[in-house]
Amino acid sequence: MPELPEVETIRRSLEPVLRGARLVKVELARADLRFPFPERFVERLEGRRVTALSRRAKYLLVRLDNGDVLVIHLGMSGRLVVAVRNAPTAGGRRGRLVGSYTNMTGRLVQHDHVVLHLEDGSRVTYNDPRRFGFMLLVKDSELAAHPLFRHLGLEPLGEELTGSALAREAHGRRADLKSFLMNQAHVAGLGNIYVSEALFRARLSPLRRAGTLALKDGRASQRAEALAQAIRAVVEDAVAAGGSTLRDYVQADGRPGAFQSAHAVYDREGKPCARAGCTGVVRRRVQGQRSTFYCPVCQR
DNA sequence: AAAAGCCCCTGGACGC
DNA sequence: TGCGTCCAGGGGCTTT
């Protein structure tokens, strides 16, 4: 489900619920997700207060008042469903139902694996049918050196993803651009949708070698500048729209993301190219066992 | 060292 | 209606 824009959307939705909240009770419905839960997971969480909610790549980072960080990865199908106690809603109900599975009774439904109970009675439930997601507990001071984090590359939000930074990363790479961008060590947070969308915006073929983004001396080409700009723009636009709606994806507050209608190429095989004046037809092909969508006419 | 394959898991869409 | 096949937003691990 979630690429960077979806995780960032969830982070923003959850922040007002979690920041400053105390975790009074943690329920596990099973012993593992993709990996076993950490040792003494429940004991280390219960009683802690959340100091901040942040994000790195596709990881959600819940910082706790004892220096631990609860790291949450949603995998392909993970969702965080929030039930806020006694909060008024637009519809005037008491309590807010968020997400399609959780009911207000608090009973676990299928694929609810973790429930965080907050002091005020609110709940945050992790639901994940495929269980490709996972949770870790890492000391804040050890996070940057952690095996899952130390290799992570450029963040598309903020200032660090520039044409020259991207060119440096791509210099000498023989992998195609699709695979290059899917690799979290180069640019962090992109997934199958936004890679296709960014390459479309930059008018670059997903089949092109990544190394061609850099000039012979390693400086950024026009292509590198265009791609860096396109990645930033597509991610910013998607975050502004609240992420994509894919199948059953909803934001943490239950509204569907609005970005799906803005997909120019993703899942549009056979449809006419969205670029004004282009006569191409969107093509699908498989790269690295994943579908890539692109216009063979205007993406070079 | 980099790149390519395989695998984990469940559910939905589709064809017959 | 039921069954088989294919496909899906991720990334770690192993093999070339």
Side-chain angles (χ1 to χ4, degrees):
Chain A
M1 167 202 331
E3 304 181 31
L4 187 159
E6 289 72 40
V7 177
E8 179 61 22
T9 297
I10 290 163
R11 188 195 71 75
R12 291 179 185 188
S13 303
L14 283 182
E15 187 162 44
V17 177
L18 276 182
R19 168 175 257 176
R22 190 178 295 282
L23 308 177
V24 292
K25 186 174 136 197
V26 176
E27 283 183 89
L28 302 185
R30 52 180 300 127
D32 60 24
L33 295 171
R34 176 173 182 166
F35 307 123
F37 287 104
E39 291 280 310
R40 300 180 54 251
F41 184 66
V42 169
E43 292 86 340
R44 288 172 68 185
L45 289 177
E46 285 181 346
R48 300 277 62 79
R49 192 176 288 282
V50 176
T51 58
L53 197 58
S54 56
R55 179 195 56 74
R56 171 72 167 121
K58 300 169 192 170
Y59 294 95
L60 201 57
L61 307 176
V62 184
R63 291 176 197 280
L64 305 174
D65 61 1
N66 64 346
D68 280 348
V69 181
L70 169 61
V71 178
I72 303 175
H73 196 292
L74 302 171
M76 294 269 260
S77 56
R79 303 193 299 172
L80 287 165
V81 180
V82 182
V84 177
R85 180 75 171 260
N86 292 334
T89 68
R93 283 172 300 159
R94 268 170 81 80
R96 191 161 55 151
L97 171 61
V98 178
S100 55
Y101 284 167
T102 288
N103 52 46
M104 290 310 293
T105 69
R107 196 163 49 226
L108 296 187
V109 298
Q110 194 171 36
H111 307 308
D112 278 353
H113 305 309
V114 182
V115 185
L116 306 178
H117 294 266
L118 310 185
E119 203 164 25
D120 70 353
S122 301
R123 301 189 305 275
V124 177
T125 301
Y126 181 77
N127 181 288
D128 185 0
R130 292 174 73 177
R131 301 201 308 276
F132 284 0
F134 54 90
M135 295 189 189
L136 309 172
L137 264 176
V138 182
K139 283 277 164 219
D140 199 358
S141 57
E142 297 168 5
L143 196 61
H146 190 279
L148 294 179
F149 284 82
R150 63 176 174 228
H151 73 280
L152 290 173
L154 303 162
E155 275 288 331
L157 291 178
E159 304 300 313
E160 67 184 43
L161 180 58
T162 61
S164 55
L166 194 58
R168 271 197 299 280
E169 203 62 46
H171 187 61
R173 302 282 168 179
R174 304 165 60 110
D176 57 58
L177 274 178
K178 170 72 185 311
S179 304
F180 171 78
L181 291 178
M182 290 291 283
N183 187 336
Q184 305 296 298
H186 301 130
V187 178
L190 299 182
N192 212 37
I193 296 175
Y194 296 109
V195 165
S196 281
E197 293 297 315
L199 288 170
F200 173 78
R201 290 201 191 199
R203 302 186 65 150
L204 290 171
S205 168
L207 310 175
R208 168 185 285 280
R209 272 194 188 190
T212 63
L213 291 181
L215 300 176
K216 280 202 177 61
D217 59 9
R219 284 185 304 121
S221 63
Q222 270 304 310
R223 295 186 193 108
E225 299 289 356
L227 184 54
Q229 166 62 30
I231 291 167
R232 294 171 53 143
V234 78
V235 168
E236 284 168 14
D237 288 355
V239 170
S244 294
T245 299
L246 286 157
R247 302 207 175 139
D248 56 1
Y249 171 70
V250 291
Q251 299 181 58
D253 68 358
R255 288 174 301 146
F259 194 73
Q260 185 181 41
S261 56
H263 292 170
V265 285
Y266 183 82
D267 205 20
R268 292 178 53 85
E269 181 183 19
K271 299 215 166 78
C273 176
R275 196 181 310 284
C278 180
T279 59
V281 172
V282 175
R283 178 179 295 174
R284 180 179 87 96
R285 62 180 287 160
V286 175
Q287 291 175 283
Q289 292 94 240
R290 311 288 296 278
S291 291
T292 304
F293 298 88
Y294 69 108
C295 173
V297 173
C298 65
Q299 289 181 248
R300 299 292 173 161

